[in-house]
């Protein structure tokens, strides 16, 4: 691992930022810097899987990564993000909670996905429209309230009604959302934590390729 | 008085509720039998007659009676009728009362911004939902630490209540000292916009009082018919006080890395306030059980080290501070608490706390906490929402066999129950009677 990747992996915010600034001033390739930072983010994900890191560490890593991309932005000739594909994501109708969803979005972005964030209280129609407009093949739905399980099901059904059900892979998540809810709603997969969304998206991408 | 005597005294008050005229000897016997069932489960001295059952209801009593949360928040009598119907027909050992359905007009009068509620951002039959944001900024830790009440009054309240925005213009009241150093602090009260805000406060106060009157009469009425309420008061873990509605989830998680010392200082600062909150409510109501919903200390959010550094020390102080006054903290550990059991167990005063678990291994919870604390839970909300009554009963039966062994257990749902099939709540309550007998 390079020094920068190591610093990112260890969540050394101040050191990461001064390192990135120094390298940019020295005229290093901004894309190479981003690549190193991403490798650090992969280590963060692995440490999370091994229960060495927790949601708090993911949130911190995402904040560090966001600052790196901000520093690098003006030095890039063209957009570097979104290498892996698009994910449409939102909190389902009837629910306005977005903490979990936002952590998932940050992790997907750090790991190279372009995320179309529909926000909260998203109707089935808006999910379907967003997929039609963007051509995304992966959909993520978030729910914190058990009362909105029917909204998840209705959204899955809306994709079927629009003839898109086999064009998209649908993952769901949120505190009360488990395998039983996945089965009830007819989604493709359930993710129980923030990194699960990244691994599910990777798996979907491989299946869709 | 020893701690034990203080606790006995509080239980005695719960057993003989002030101002309640029992409907008859049978109602009084039923009421005391229910309270004693909880008392035995909590104190761990002997097993109760059977497992007490307390479904952790949110909107369920309303849904059961066909009343929306909107109607309940604007028509208190209707809410009361719904609560009575649920309690009298399903006969749980304790109920959650009306505190989860507070008065809508009160929030309107103050233009409350912290939550959306039915008719104000969410549909009539939905639950109110918190609007996550940084209501306290990172650079405001010193203001909070130096004078929490002043911070609440002049910074926090103006942010969460649109109609109290003029309170930001108030002066600090601790400047009121000698005769010539007095009048200045009152000048802002002369401003027309501050006076308008004060009028809103008075109207909101009248509405809150009206609501409390209905709530007290409904809840005493239920006690008179033999049904105790579960909670005498409520408070929160200091980390959740700062993390939920002041700094927000994102804010407090970052603060652990960026300004750990300030965060620790602030946590210590709000700890006595959290104790005061629980103690004053419970002492007034005469019911020792203090509800403490736990949020950000659950499995996965914080590392073990962060939990031991930032979350547990001040929560422990709150628990001990309440127990010191003869009270019984009821900790609602939403999410998983599997990795926290070993941390909390050694610090708990025996026979003085209830832990309601959700996604926690109940056999392990019993093994690790069983000798010091009453555990409660944990019929999964997904099973209650999507399963059959038979499946619910089977789960309860297995749960009682493991977690309920030898007492020290309350049968409950793992999460808050809103709109689900009534048969499943009925199955949960019946399971305690069918499978929960001791001796």
């Amino acid at each position: 691992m390079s020094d920068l990747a190591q610093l990112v992996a260890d969540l050394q915010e101040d050191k990461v930022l001064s390192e990135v600034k120094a390298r940019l001033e020295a005229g290093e390739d901004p894309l190479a810097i981003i690549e190193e930072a991403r490798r650090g983010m992969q280590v963060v994900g692995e440490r999370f899987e091994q229960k060495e890191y927790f949601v708090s560490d993911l949130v911190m890593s995402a904040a560090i990564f966001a600052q790196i991309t901000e520093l690098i932005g003006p030095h890039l000739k063209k957009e570097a993000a979104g290498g892996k594909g698009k994910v449409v994501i939102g909190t389902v109708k009837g629910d306005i909670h977005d903490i979990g969803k936002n952590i998932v979005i940050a992790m997907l972005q750090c790991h190279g996905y372009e995320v179309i964030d529909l926000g909260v209280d998203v109707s089935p129609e808006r999910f379907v429209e967003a997929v039609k407009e963007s051509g995304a093949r992966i959909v993520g739905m978030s729910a914190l309230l058990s009362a909105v399980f029917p909204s998840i099901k209705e959204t899955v059904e809306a994709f079927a009604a629009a003839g898109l059900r086999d064009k998209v892979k649908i993952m769901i998540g949120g505190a009360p959302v488990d395998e039983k809810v996945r089965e009830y709603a007819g989604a493709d997969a359930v993710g129980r934590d923030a990194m699960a969304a990244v691994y599910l998206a990777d798996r979907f991408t491989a299946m869709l390729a | 008085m020893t701690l034990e005597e203080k606790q006995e005294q509080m239980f005695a008050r719960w057993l003989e509720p002030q101002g309640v005229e029992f409907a008859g000897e049978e109602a009084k016997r039923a009421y005391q039998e229910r309270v004693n069932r909880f008392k035995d489960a909590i104190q761990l001295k002997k097993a109760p007659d059977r497992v007490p059952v307390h479904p952790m209801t949110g909107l369920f009593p309303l849904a059961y009676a066909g009343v929306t949360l909107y109607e309940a928040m604007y028509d208190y009598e209707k809410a009361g009728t719904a609560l009575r119907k649920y309690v009298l027909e399903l006969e749980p050992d304790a109920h959650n009362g009306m505190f989860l359905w507070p008065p809508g007009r009160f929030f309107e009068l103050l233009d409350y911004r912290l939550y959306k509620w039915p008719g104000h951002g969410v549909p009539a039959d939905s639950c109110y939902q918190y609007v996550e944001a940084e209501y306290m900024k990172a650079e405001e830790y010193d203001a909070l630490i130096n004078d929490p009440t002043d911070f609440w009054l002049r910074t926090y309240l103006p942010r969460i209540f649109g109609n109290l925005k003029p309170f930001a213009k108030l002066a600090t009241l601790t400047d009121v000292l000698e005769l010539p150093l007095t009048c200045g602090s009152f000048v802002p009260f002369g401003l027309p916009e501050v006076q308008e805000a004060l009028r809103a406060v008075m109207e909101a106060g009248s509405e809150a009082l009206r609501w409390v009157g209905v709530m007290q009469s409904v809840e005493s009425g239920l006690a008179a018919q033999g049904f105790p309420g579960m909670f005498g008061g409520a408070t929160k873990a200091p980390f959740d006080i700062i993390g939920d509605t002041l700094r927000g989830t994102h804010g407090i998680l970052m603060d652990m890395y960026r300004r750990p010392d300030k965060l620790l200082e602030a946590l210590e600062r709000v700890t006595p306030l959290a104790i005061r909150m629980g103690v004053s409510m419970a002492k007034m109501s005469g019911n020792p059980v203090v509800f403490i919903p736990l949020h950000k200390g659950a499995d996965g959010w914080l590392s073990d080290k962060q939990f031991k550094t930032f979350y547990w020390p001040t929560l422990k102080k709150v628990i001990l501070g309440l127990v010191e006054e003869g009270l019984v903290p009821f900790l609602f550990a939403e999410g998983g608490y599997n990795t926290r059991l070993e941390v909390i167990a050694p610090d708990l005063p025996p026979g003085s706390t209830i832990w309601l678990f959700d996604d926690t291994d109940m056999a392990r919870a019993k093994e690790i906490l069983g000798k010091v604390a009453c555990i409660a839970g944990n019929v999964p909300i997904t099973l209650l929402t999507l399963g059959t009554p038979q499946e619910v009963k089977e789960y309860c039966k297995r749960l009682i066999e493991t977690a309920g062994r030898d007492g020290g257990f309350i049968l409950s749902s793992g999460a808050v129950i809103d709109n689900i099939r009534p048969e499943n709540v009925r199955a949960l309550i019946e399971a305690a009677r069918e499978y929960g007998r001791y001796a």
Side-chain angles (χ1 to χ4, degrees):
Chain A
M1 227 185 332
S2 74
D3 288 349
L4 179 61
Q6 186 73 55
L7 289 173
V8 170
D10 294 342
L11 309 177
Q12 298 288 322
E13 184 176 27
D14 295 340
K15 288 182 187 160
V16 166
L17 299 181
S18 53
E19 174 82 6
V20 169
K21 279 177 204 155
R23 289 209 198 172
L24 285 171
E25 274 161 29
E28 277 193 38
D29 177 9
L31 281 179
I33 299 176
I34 279 275
E35 216 25 68
E36 279 182 43
R38 262 202 186 125
R39 273 203 295 281
M41 290 301 289
Q42 270 166 12
V43 175
V44 168
E46 286 159 20
R47 288 182 184 170
F48 183 79
E49 286 301 294
Q50 285 151 19
K51 295 192 167 29
E52 288 170 39
Y53 271 5
F54 297 84
V55 171
S56 54
D57 303 296
L58 293 186
V59 168
M60 191 62 203
S61 72
I64 294 173
F65 192 81
Q67 292 175 88
I68 297 174
T69 48
E70 212 166 282
L71 286 175
I72 282 182
H75 298 265
L76 284 180
K77 289 184 187 71
K78 59 182 169 74
E79 200 57 46
K84 277 188 183 169
K86 294 175 184 173
V87 181
V88 163
I89 206 162
T91 302
V92 299
K93 191 169 167 30
D95 197 333
I96 63 163
H97 295 95
D98 62 3
I99 276 289
K101 174 189 69 91
N102 290 347
I103 296 172
V104 164
I105 289 174
M107 297 324 291
L108 286 167
Q109 287 170 335
C110 295
H111 289 265
Y113 286 93
E114 182 187 335
V115 178
I116 297 133
D117 178 11
L118 303 181
V120 297
D121 193 17
V122 180
S123 68
E125 300 74 42
R126 276 183 59 217
F127 270 107
V128 172
E129 267 168 42
V131 163
K132 281 183 185 163
E133 282 166 17
S134 64
R137 306 286 307 275
I138 301 173
V139 175
M141 282 186 243
S142 170
L144 184 72
L145 306 172
S146 57
V148 300
F149 293 161
S151 298
I152 304 178
K153 189 179 167 78
E154 282 158 25
T155 309
V156 174
E157 286 165 0
F159 278 106
L164 290 170
R165 185 63 191 88
D166 46 8
K167 296 276 190 296
V168 291
K169 291 285 179 191
I170 300 174
M171 57 183 175
I172 62 176
V177 177
D178 61 9
E179 178 56 28
K180 208 168 176 80
V181 180
R182 186 207 64 75
E183 200 185 307
Y184 158 80
D188 294 303
V190 56
R192 296 290 278 155
D193 61 52
M195 280 309 294
V198 174
Y199 298 121
L200 287 174
D202 287 349
R203 209 178 80 205
F204 289 158
T205 306
M207 288 163 74
L208 291 163
Chain B
M1 272 196 285
T2 65
L3 285 190
E4 208 163 317
E5 285 164 351
K6 283 185 188 169
Q7 196 194 64
E8 283 297 338
Q9 195 184 48
M10 279 306 297
F11 273 116
R13 284 185 64 192
W14 195 14
L15 281 160
E16 299 278 354
Q18 227 186 356
V20 171
E21 288 276 345
F22 285 106
E25 274 311 302
E26 171 54 25
K28 184 176 181 184
R29 194 197 53 76
Y31 176 92
Q32 294 184 335
E33 190 177 84
R34 291 193 170 98
V35 171
N36 274 320
R37 203 167 274 149
F38 287 107
K39 180 171 182 263
D40 289 338
I42 293 162
Q43 293 186 325
L44 306 173
K45 287 175 189 157
K46 61 179 167 81
D49 61 338
R50 70 156 165 81
V51 169
V53 57
H54 166 247
M56 192 64 204
T57 54
L59 304 189
F60 178 75
L62 301 176
Y64 179 65
V67 173
T68 65
L69 178 59
Y70 176 85
E71 291 172 304
M73 287 178 77
Y74 288 87
D75 184 343
Y76 318 143
E77 295 291 348
K78 209 168 197 172
T81 304
L83 180 65
R84 273 193 294 268
K85 180 176 162 67
Y86 157 69
V87 174
L88 298 178
E89 290 182 10
L90 269 66
E91 303 191 327
D93 286 322
H95 61 81
N96 281 350
M98 287 172 60
F99 86 104
L100 290 171
W101 320 321
R105 223 173 84 74
F106 165 88
F107 296 107
E108 273 175 15
L109 286 165
L110 296 179
D111 184 21
Y112 188 58
R113 306 282 176 86
L114 197 68
Y115 276 67
K116 295 184 175 185
W117 73 93
H120 286 259
V122 298
D125 57 349
S126 291
C127 197
Y128 38 81
Q129 299 181 35
Y130 170 54
V131 181
E132 177 97 32
E134 289 194 4
Y135 296 97
M136 168 187 159
K137 299 189 183 91
E139 59 274 17
E140 289 173 339
Y141 270 102
D142 284 333
L144 172 76
I145 291 162
N146 288 339
D147 190 342
T149 299
D150 185 63
F151 178 77
W152 248 265
L153 181 67
R154 299 196 303 145
T155 306
Y156 183 61
L157 299 190
R159 285 183 188 150
I160 66 165
F161 295 111
N163 290 345
L164 299 191
K165 225 170 156 190
F167 277 15
K169 295 184 179 167
L170 293 180
T172 45
L173 294 173
T174 43
D175 298 351
V176 177
L177 298 168
E178 296 175 48
L179 184 145
L181 304 175
T182 293
C183 161
S185 293
F186 290 81
V187 169
F189 289 116
L191 298 169
E193 62 271 31
V194 171
Q195 293 189 342
E196 201 176 324
L198 291 170
R199 275 191 289 274
V201 167
M202 282 162 54
E203 275 189 67
S206 300
E207 195 60 35
L209 195 64
R210 208 165 70 77
W211 172 71
V212 157
V214 175
M215 177 163 78
Q216 278 170 348
S217 112
V218 169
E219 294 180 8
S220 316
L222 282 170
Q225 287 179 267
F227 296 93
M230 189 75 244
F231 303 121
T235 187
K236 288 183 69 173
F239 192 90
D240 292 327
I241 290 178
I242 293 176
D244 289 349
T245 48
L246 289 167
R247 294 286 294 127
T249 308
H250 192 262
I252 199 168
L253 294 182
M254 308 286 275
D255 292 341
M256 291 193 299
Y257 299 89
R258 289 180 173 168
R259 47 193 75 81
D261 296 338
K262 284 286 171 214
L263 174 56
L264 286 170
E265 210 181 330
L267 290 167
E268 290 292 343
R269 194 72 174 94
V270 300
T271 298
L273 310 182
I275 296 171
R276 181 176 69 183
M277 178 180 173
V279 170
S280 64
M281 287 165 79
K283 288 267 158 115
M284 198 159 55
S285 69
N287 169 335
V289 182
V290 178
F291 181 53
I292 310 182
L294 303 179
H295 297 142
K296 296 180 166 65
D299 288 341
W301 285 89
L302 309 181
S303 71
D304 189 51
K305 191 169 166 231
Q306 286 167 338
F307 182 80
K308 286 178 183 161
T309 307
F310 295 99
Y311 199 91
W312 181 237
T314 46
L315 172 57
K316 182 173 88 179
K317 283 185 188 173
V318 171
I319 291 172
L320 297 178
L322 295 174
V323 169
E324 180 71 33
E325 294 294 325
L327 305 178
V328 177
F330 181 115
L331 301 118
F332 180 19
E334 281 187 276
Y337 245 61
N338 296 293
T339 58
R340 311 305 189 201
L341 298 174
E342 280 92 348
V343 182
I344 62 180
D347 292 334
L348 297 177
S352 316
T353 58
I354 302 167
W355 290 80
L356 173 59
F357 292 116
D358 176 11
D359 197 7
T360 294
D361 179 338
M362 293 300 277
R364 272 193 75 235
K366 182 73 173 179
E367 190 189 312
I368 297 167
L369 289 186
K371 287 206 169 45
V372 288
C374 171
I375 62 171
N378 82 336
V379 186
I381 194 65
T382 48
L383 176 64
L384 285 166
T385 307
L386 305 170
T388 63
Q390 197 48 43
E391 287 172 318
V392 170
K393 278 201 180 172
E394 277 161 23
Y395 186 96
C396 292
K397 183 169 186 283
R398 284 198 306 276
L399 185 59
I400 289 169
E401 282 163 9
T402 49
R405 208 180 53 245
D406 306 326
F409 175 65
I410 297 168
L411 181 63
S412 186
S413 50
V416 171
I417 304 173
D418 290 331
N419 192 0
I420 69 167
R421 300 160 64 191
E423 306 92 89
N424 285 358
V425 179
R426 204 181 284 276
L428 170 68
I429 293 169
E430 282 173 3
R433 298 195 197 109
E434 286 173 27
Y435 311 117
R437 295 256 160 230
Y438 292 105

